[in-house]
Amino acid sequence: MTDQRFIHSQWSSRLAFILAASGSAIGLGNIWKFPYLAGDNGGGAFVMIYLLCVAAIGIPIMIAETLLGRCGRRSPINTMRALADEAKASRIWGYVGWLGVVSGFLILSYYSVIAGWSMAYIFKIGGGFLSHASSEVAQQVFLDLKAAPDVQVIWHTAFMAATLFIVSRGVSDGIERATRIMMPGLFVMLILLDGYALSSEGFGQGVSFLFKPDFARLSGESVLTAMGQAFFSLGLGMGSIMMYGSYLPVQVSISRATLAVASADTLVALLAGIAIFPVVFANHLAPTLGPGLIFETLPIAFGQMPAGRLFGTVFFILVFFAALTSAIALIEPTIAFLSENLGFNRTRASVWSGIACWFIGLGTVFSFNAWAEVSWFGKNFFELVDFLTADIMLPLGGILMALFAGWIMERTLTEAELGRNRAYPLWRILVRYVAPVAVAVIFLRAIGVL
Ligand code: TRP
């Protein structure tokens, strides 16, 4: 294998890494998925387990994954192989990279469909179709979109094309510039929505739903969902952060940079939840609307606030960009692998993976209409892909990375990467024992063994 150390480019600064990694972490997972999962799983207790998973499992694994990337400096598959060679361990570890490539690919297939919905909403709100909408009108507009596979396919195609266009042109430049403007913009819009929520009569009820834990409502599967969401939202377990870590200059502190990213990600998810649930309760809607939650509730809020049409349009444009920066991270390991191992250039790699991913995404489009009744293990196509990736493959990939960093790599190597300080022994205990055991227990509880 050739040494790629000098082939990859590097981030221009610590901030550039933080912005790109936040771009990967902050996406539909925070704004679309977190609120509806919290709604479906009873609120407060779910949120609390989620926060625990971020702190005890997510952050240590994020540090481990970034570290692997910076040590390996290749695509995830080749990084894992090279590091395994270096540690005189089996090359089987390369399959962790494979697992990641497949999961990123599958996630992007449905991610693109949902991002397509938010593109459709830019025009629905911008065109004034939802101004002063009652909750009935807002729900009907969403149901109509859900029932129309052709419209969804058009937006899915547009989103996929935009993603692969950017990816084909190379990572650092475009992403750096886009996230620098979009991320703060998204933040400001969420604060604005929270301001609106604060003045709404549902505020108290919404906030207590989100933060008051009622553990009686929490099933084993809900705990698994909360953990899966921690992996999904932080963008862990499949090599995205490993890729970004591989562009990280050696002098940057990994633990401090990842901590900043994880905090920003969590804050955005909570701000989104605080914006949405007061609207749910003020309009006597159910929190259990599922994947349609933000699309059925936020337009009501925008419909009522001053200049809501403008703010609503800007909001969904920003959601689109947040999704775009995450989509790029989801597909990047596949592109890097195709170019490093099969000699594809970036354009060719983008075109082929884009077409394949687009095709699988059709299954998700149909799971909201024509195939709505088709189910495997009680889940439709979208739910199945989501479950397999977020709840199984990401935690598995993440744990294998943690075990690799904690048990296989030389201690001297990881200590040199992270720096000799008081946090190092804590991190080591977390990746060696706490995170693997926690994930195992959660898996076993979900399938009813514990
Ligand atoms: N974290 C992103 C979100 O919340 C999605 C994402 C990007 C992701 N890269 C990932 C999810 C890697 C899992 C793994 O929308």
Side-chain angles (χ1 to χ4, degrees), residues 401-416:
M401 291 174 197
L403 292 174
F404 189 88
W407 293 93
I408 307 285
M409 283 175 81
E410 294 279 352
R411 183 184 173 130
T412 44
L413 204 61
T414 53
E415 201 164 23

Side-chain angles (χ1 to χ4, degrees), residues 389-435:
T389 50
D391 295 358
I392 311 275
M393 293 164 82
L394 297 180
L396 198 63
I399 278 315
L400 291 171
M401 291 174 197
L403 292 174
F404 189 88
W407 293 93
I408 307 285
M409 283 175 81
E410 294 279 352
R411 183 184 173 130
T412 44
L413 204 61
T414 53
E415 201 164 23
E417 279 292 328
L418 294 183
R420 206 184 277 270
N421 56 37
R422 261 179 304 154
Y424 180 80
L426 174 65
W427 171 79
R428 207 166 146 83
I429 291 171
L430 288 170
V431 287
R432 278 164 74 99
Y433 305 102
V434 178

Side-chain angles (χ1 to χ4, degrees), residues 24-25 27-30 107 111 232-233 235-236 238 240 326 329-330 394:
S24 157
L28 297 174
N30 309 61
I107 292 173
Y111 205 82
F232 185 91
S233 188
L236 299 182
M238 59 138 288
S240 282
S326 299
L330 283 164
L394 297 180

Side-chain angles (χ1 to χ4, degrees), residues 44-116:
F46 175 90
V47 174
M48 199 167 220
I49 300 287
Y50 169 76
L51 294 175
L52 269 176
C53 287
V54 167
I57 307 175
I59 293 173
I61 292 186
M62 196 169 192
I63 294 175
E65 189 173 340
T66 314
L67 175 152
L68 295 180
R70 190 161 76 179
C71 289
R73 298 220 180 263
R74 298 167 178 85
S75 75
I77 296 173
N78 295 331
T79 283
M80 291 307 291
R81 282 188 191 151
L83 293 178
D85 282 349
E86 219 168 285
K88 305 206 174 38
S90 163
R91 290 201 125 201
I92 283 189
W93 286 101
Y95 285 104
V96 176
W98 269 107
L99 183 71
V101 168
V102 176
S103 27
F105 193 78
L106 287 177
I107 292 173
L108 182 59
S109 80
Y110 76 74
Y111 205 82
S112 167
V113 175
I114 311 296

Side-chain angles (χ1 to χ4, degrees), residues 321-342:
F321 274 99
L324 200 58
T325 52
S326 299
I328 292 163
L330 283 164
I331 201 69
E332 183 61 21
T334 306
I335 306 292
F337 170 72
L338 290 176
S339 29
E340 281 178 25
N341 291 42
L342 301 184

